[in-house]
Amino acid sequence: MSGLIGGDVLSNYDVEIDLSDRRVRLWKASTCRANDLPWTGPRATVPAHVTWGDRLIVTVTLNGKQVDALLDSGSAISLLQTEVAREVGVTIISADPEVSIHGVAGSTIMVRLHRFGTLRIGNDQIDGPEIGVGDSQLISPEMIIGRDYLRRRRIWISYRTGTLFVQ
């Protein structure tokens, strides 16, 4: 890894993430509505909250429960706090495979890969998503949406309007 570009820089732009095309583009746009995007075809509009630290938080629905999630293109997989997993109905995860996750500062945590019923972000629903479950201060707020989700979609982030567009 050569470096990180965080919300402190990205929040000055609209950000287009298209990992399947291996592209991240920064846009200086005067407005940002679904019809203003340079995309054709349907897209979901998802409200987002930009925190004081320029982190982008969206509310997702996991197994029917609302969960606050941070978009993180640096995380290979989506991650969920163990306590939140219990709140959405996961009681035993010891049979789930265990994997190590490496953080940006060189830290490593162990998580269990658990298959959930559904994950919904806006009107985009994924059936049977596999999400890492574990305990770490690195997983904040309650969940991280990682590249496993991002790489199959085009994402447009408008920090200015607090909107996420998913295609």
Side-chain angles (χ1 to χ4, degrees), residues 62-124:
L62 183 62
N63 284 5
K65 182 192 182 310
Q66 289 191 336
V67 176
D68 286 337
L70 170 73
L71 285 171
D72 185 355
S73 63
S75 180
I77 65 171
S78 296
L79 302 167
L80 183 70
Q81 288 281 17
T82 302
E83 180 181 322
V84 179
R86 287 187 195 107
E87 292 172 12
V88 300
V90 176
T91 53
I92 300 174
I93 62 170
S94 61
D96 293 334
E98 190 172 42
V99 297
S100 61
I101 302 296
H102 304 284
V104 68
S107 61
T108 301
I109 62 168
M110 300 302 291
V111 299
R112 298 258 182 203
L113 292 178
H114 183 78
R115 187 160 309 277
F116 287 82
T118 58
L119 171 65
R120 188 184 238 348
I121 301 176
N123 63 0
D124 184 23

Side-chain angles (χ1 to χ4, degrees), residues 20 26 32 38 58 61 86 118 121 127 137 146 161 167:
S20 66
L26 305 179
C32 191
V58 295
T61 304
R86 287 187 195 107
T118 58
I121 301 176
D127 294 321
Q137 293 179 350
T161 65
Q167 184 177 54

Side-chain angles (χ1 to χ4, degrees), residues 14 27-38 156-158 160-161 165:
D14 283 358
W27 295 79
K28 268 291 193 194
S30 58
T31 63
C32 191
R33 297 177 307 246
N35 293 336
D36 295 332
L37 303 182
W156 187 284
I157 301 167
S158 173
R160 185 177 50 265
T161 65
F165 300 97

